[in-house]
Amino acid sequence: MTKPKPQLKSPCVNLCLLNDDDVCVGCYRTGKEISQWGSMNKASQQAVMKKVREREAKSQFVSE
């Protein structure tokens, strides 16, 4: 059985480090979101990307 191909490109930037809130400082996904990305359908991936944008906007590393 082959794994379904992800519908969206992964936001991974190869800076993989989870903070104390279990959020990656590179792509802003949680550990659970990262591990499930490849098996998610497009709608689920889009929902994760919405959360990623929200987390990134609140991050201390993003300038306004």
Side-chain angles (χ1 to χ4, degrees), residues 8-55:
L8 298 180
K9 184 177 184 277
S10 169
C12 180
V13 294
N14 294 317
L15 178 63
C16 306
L17 177 67
L18 296 176
N19 66 18
D20 291 339
D21 295 321
D22 193 42
V23 175
C24 178
V25 299
C27 69
Y28 297 97
R29 293 179 293 170
T30 65
K32 184 176 180 180
E33 290 165 346
I34 292 167
S35 66
Q36 294 179 347
W37 183 264
S39 61
M40 289 180 181
N41 62 29
K42 187 174 182 178
S44 296
Q45 289 177 341
Q46 288 173 326
V48 168
M49 291 305 297
K50 181 175 188 247
K51 292 177 190 174
V52 163
R53 288 187 296 275
E54 291 168 357
R55 292 178 191 131

